[in-house]
Amino acid sequence: MSSGAGADGREDETGREQGRDEEAVSRFVERFAADMTEAGMQRMASRVFAALLADDDASMTSAELGEQLQISPAAVSGAINYLTQVSMVGRERDPGSRRDRYRLHNEIWYATFAGRDRVLTRWEHTLREGARTLGPDTPAGARLTETAEFFEFLQSELVGMVERWRDYRKKFDLPNGTAG
């Protein structure tokens, strides 16, 4: 979408591909964004993320995002700030320009889950401390201990799952960074 030629090999004056059904792409972006919003992500961040995900080089400027999604620069900025904070999007400077370009990280899903792993570790430690404070034999302390154990289990499973994913994705001969 933001780079490369479309199915007919041409780009329009903005560098956007011709030959791709932009309405269908827009419907996909909105549908996937709605799925992510339903799962708890901020609405604008979901839309910006989905637009970047659907872009061939996973990279767009603020103006491109605003134009494609029909949102204000302030909405783009807020979404980018959130996505940057949760390590789903990186910011880089266009060569020879003062414009920022926003890009999905390579192996986006791995990076996202690795970031969640750090959060889970912090939560686990806080929950264990809370269980000690409340008393392990109290109902609240037992509940916190069980939650901490769940996060510890989840983390151990995530490590193995990421390793299995890397082996699994080799079957598809995908270039690095495209599938996450």
Side-chain angles (χ1 to χ4, degrees):
M1 299 201 331
S2 70
S3 69
D8 63 1
R10 296 179 297 167
E11 294 180 353
D12 67 15
E13 64 279 353
T14 66
R16 295 245 180 248
E17 296 176 23
Q18 295 177 349
R20 187 175 286 194
D21 184 345
E22 292 301 325
E23 248 182 71
V25 171
S26 182
R27 283 191 304 274
F28 161 76
V29 165
E30 295 303 327
R31 186 174 67 240
F32 189 61
D35 289 348
M36 290 191 311
T37 300
E38 190 174 310
M41 185 183 271
Q42 296 175 357
R43 182 173 178 269
M44 280 301 147
S46 296
R47 293 181 72 212
V48 167
F49 179 81
L52 288 168
L53 191 63
D55 188 71
D56 280 341
D57 64 359
S59 169
M60 299 173 86
T61 65
S62 180
E64 290 168 339
L65 286 163
E67 180 183 334
Q68 179 175 336
L69 299 172
Q70 296 296 295
I71 59 177
S72 71
V76 171
S77 178
I80 290 296
N81 286 338
Y82 172 81
L83 292 168
T84 302
Q85 182 180 13
V86 297
S87 301
M88 293 178 78
V89 170
R91 185 184 318 243
E92 57 191 43
R93 187 69 59 165
D94 261 350
S97 169
R98 293 176 49 184
R99 292 186 315 174
D100 283 332
R101 178 164 289 282
Y102 306 104
R103 178 178 304 281
L104 295 182
H105 292 298
N106 284 341
E107 296 189 335
I108 182 64
W109 299 115
Y110 170 77
T112 299
F113 281 98
R116 296 299 178 262
D117 185 54
R118 288 186 297 274
V119 170
L120 292 175
T121 298
R122 195 168 57 241
W123 289 359
E124 179 191 341
H125 291 296
T126 302
L127 288 162
R128 289 191 191 287
E129 183 180 311
R132 284 189 299 273
T133 300
L134 295 168
D137 297 330
T138 66
R143 188 170 43 253
L144 294 182
T145 299
E146 180 182 1
T147 305
E149 292 297 331
F150 172 75
F151 287 139
E152 182 180 338
F153 172 79
L154 190 59
Q155 287 176 286
S156 68
E157 290 297 307
L158 274 174
V159 170
M161 188 170 58
V162 167
E163 289 172 8
R164 288 189 304 276
W165 163 247
R166 287 190 167 152
D167 289 339
Y168 181 80
R169 78 184 294 280
K170 289 176 187 173
K171 294 178 187 180
F172 300 103
D173 195 30
L174 299 170
N176 282 337
T178 60

